[in-house]
Amino acid sequence: MADTRFEVRLNQRLAQDFDTIASENGLSRAEVFRRAIALYKLAKETERQSGHVILRSQEGSERELVSL
């Protein structure tokens, strides 16, 4: 399957967050975008199946994503 190119416009704050994530993890912008889409897809599939998306810190505190 051929690759598809996207152009995405981000406000300055979001662009800075995006670049920070990429640099802190040694990833390209494209890889951050691909991983974000994969995570979003997984969360939406879980939500559709009446599941719950829970974020748990190393200390054990939890946050549930209520809606995406």
Side-chain angles (χ1 to χ4, degrees), residues 22-60:
S23 66
E24 286 180 351
N25 294 283
L27 302 170
S28 67
R29 287 176 167 180
E31 185 60 23
V32 171
F33 185 77
R34 284 190 285 270
R35 290 181 183 196
I37 295 300
L39 182 58
Y40 183 81
K41 181 181 176 191
L42 178 63
K44 289 303 286 182
E45 287 171 356
T46 300
E47 190 178 69
R48 269 193 289 280
Q49 296 171 0
S50 300
H52 300 274
V53 179
I54 308 290
L55 303 176
R56 182 177 302 124
S57 72
Q58 289 182 341
E59 295 80 30

Side-chain angles (χ1 to χ4, degrees), residues 1 4 8 13 16 21 23 25-27 34-35 47 57 60-61 68:
M1 187 169 126
T4 302
V8 180
R13 182 177 164 268
Q16 287 174 333
I21 291 167
S23 66
N25 294 283
L27 302 170
R34 284 190 285 270
R35 290 181 183 196
E47 190 178 69
S57 72
S61 63
L68 297 175

Side-chain angles (χ1 to χ4, degrees), residues 1-17:
M1 187 169 126
D3 290 343
T4 302
R5 185 177 184 98
F6 282 91
E7 181 177 325
V8 180
R9 296 190 186 275
L10 304 174
N11 65 39
Q12 187 174 6
R13 182 177 164 268
L14 192 53
Q16 287 174 333
D17 289 347

